[in-house]
Amino acid sequence: MTTPSAPQARILIVDDEPSIRFTLERSLRREGYHLHAVASGQEALQALEHNQYDLLLLDLHLGQINGLQILEKVRELDNDAIVIILTGHSSLESAVEALRLGAFDYLFKPTMPDVIRQRVREGLLRRQQMQQRQLILQQIETLRLSLNSLEEVSKGGFMGDGNGRFLRNGPLVIDRQHRVASMHDHLLDLTTTEFDLLMCMVEAAPNPMQPKDLLRCALGYDADEVEARDTVKWHIHHLRRKIERDPRHPKHIKTVRYKGYFWSS
């Protein structure tokens, strides 16, 4: 799960008044956000089906499809998306209902540009905090599973389906079932490609693997030598930064000139 920095945030503006859309876009464009403005509830639903947004500025009164219906759809698609309701003074009751349904805040129309920018910044900060919390919880769960797996190995217990669930090589332990790896009892934060590259090298150790063979093993496709070399080199660079104490002088992921890469315990 990625958390965009504020200038990269994607914002959907939904309002049927051209002057309001113009004001909102002008107020936020200087902040560097990616802006998308639509004039109806139907357009908003279409936009939500095809794009992911970090924040919505949403008018309540849009005709056939109103703001509350769109808010419910947003919650189905992305429960962390921030929704700021735009409403008139006479629609306070509807704005309160929107807050009950999970809107971040509401603004009366018209609103000063400085107020709009401030509430958008605060809303995006809230989204970042929620996503970071979810990421930490996921990492804790992954770590818990990995620790349980390591305890099973150390006790000589359950080893999966009999085909070798765990792969050990020096300080490295790979759990094929949960697709996690630890080094010196510390869980490695690996991407899917990095995990597969690592497993391919460890399974082949101590023999080196050519970039083309590594690419085929880890990613499942063939490429010419230049593409394979450049692709694998980029992933190896990031993998070394996560595994090696000194990535400039690798101890475990080594390069053999003209022969490729190999794992050394």
Side-chain angles (χ1 to χ4, degrees):
M1 177 187 314
T2 60
T3 304
S5 60
Q8 297 174 326
R10 294 177 58 86
I11 296 176
L12 178 63
I13 298 169
V14 187
D15 200 294
D16 58 1
E17 298 181 49
S19 61
I20 297 295
R21 295 198 303 274
F22 175 78
T23 299
L24 293 172
E25 287 187 274
R26 185 180 62 181
S27 300
L28 296 173
R29 186 174 292 113
R30 55 184 287 187
E31 301 294 311
Y33 303 127
H34 297 290
L35 304 175
H36 182 196
V38 297
S40 69
Q42 184 61 41
E43 289 181 88
L45 292 179
Q46 292 175 354
L48 289 168
E49 289 289 348
H50 295 92
N51 301 281
Q52 183 178 17
Y53 297 96
D54 301 292
L55 183 143
L56 279 76
L57 288 163
L58 177 60
D59 184 19
L60 278 180
H61 300 288
L62 294 167
Q64 189 175 7
I65 300 176
N66 63 40
L68 293 180
Q69 291 172 295
I70 296 172
L71 176 56
E72 292 176 352
K73 184 64 175 181
V74 171
R75 288 291 162 256
E76 291 177 12
L77 297 172
D78 183 354
N79 197 47
D80 292 335
I82 298 298
V83 178
I84 297 176
I85 295 297
L86 304 172
T87 184
H89 289 268
S90 61
S91 302
L92 181 57
E93 186 175 340
S94 297
V96 172
E97 175 65 11
L99 294 180
R100 190 186 67 80
L101 292 174
F104 173 70
D105 200 358
Y106 64 88
L107 297 174
F108 287 123
K109 297 191 293 185
T111 302
M112 295 295 293
D114 287 345
V115 175
I116 295 170
R117 287 191 288 267
Q118 179 64 26
R119 294 309 285 150
V120 166
R121 283 193 292 266
E122 292 170 355
L124 292 173
L125 177 60
R126 170 73 65 83
R127 177 172 171 81
Q128 288 180 332
Q129 291 170 341
M130 290 190 297
Q131 291 186 328
Q132 287 169 358
R133 179 178 181 274
Q134 288 184 358
L135 179 61
I136 291 171
L137 291 175
Q138 290 173 359
Q139 291 173 338
I140 290 173
E141 177 62 14
T142 301
L143 179 59
R144 184 187 68 79
L145 293 173
S146 179
L147 289 174
N148 289 342
S149 299
L150 291 175
E151 288 177 0
E152 290 170 359
V153 174
S154 64
K155 294 176 182 177
F158 174 66
M159 293 298 290
D161 57 7
N163 294 323
R165 169 179 170 181
F166 297 98
L167 184 61
R168 278 183 175 272
N169 194 300
L172 176 71
V173 178
I174 296 176
D175 182 345
R176 291 186 176 94
Q177 179 172 316
H178 288 306
R179 293 184 59 80
V180 294
S182 66
M183 190 79 173
H184 298 291
D185 294 328
H186 292 288
L187 190 66
L188 300 174
D189 184 16
L190 304 179
T191 66
T192 298
T193 299
E194 290 166 353
F195 177 86
D196 290 333
L197 281 172
L198 178 62
M199 191 164 64
C200 289
M201 286 188 291
V202 174
E203 288 178 333
N207 300 316
M209 294 187 71
Q210 293 278 0
K212 289 183 66 173
D213 296 330
L214 266 174
L215 198 66
R216 187 183 306 111
C217 176
L219 297 180
Y221 75 90
D222 293 310
D224 59 44
E225 291 185 6
V226 174
E227 180 184 351
R229 183 187 67 236
D230 292 344
T231 301
V232 169
K233 182 178 180 180
W234 187 85
H235 288 295
I236 291 292
H237 169 74
H238 288 279
L239 191 55
R240 280 172 170 161
R241 292 177 62 184
K242 297 178 180 181
I243 289 179
E244 305 286 359
R245 295 185 184 276
D246 182 0
R248 294 172 299 178
H249 302 91
K251 176 183 177 182
H252 300 291
I253 302 176
K254 296 188 175 182
T255 304
V256 181
R257 194 173 185 182
Y258 303 125
K259 291 188 177 181
Y261 302 94
F262 76 98
W263 173 265
S264 173
S265 58

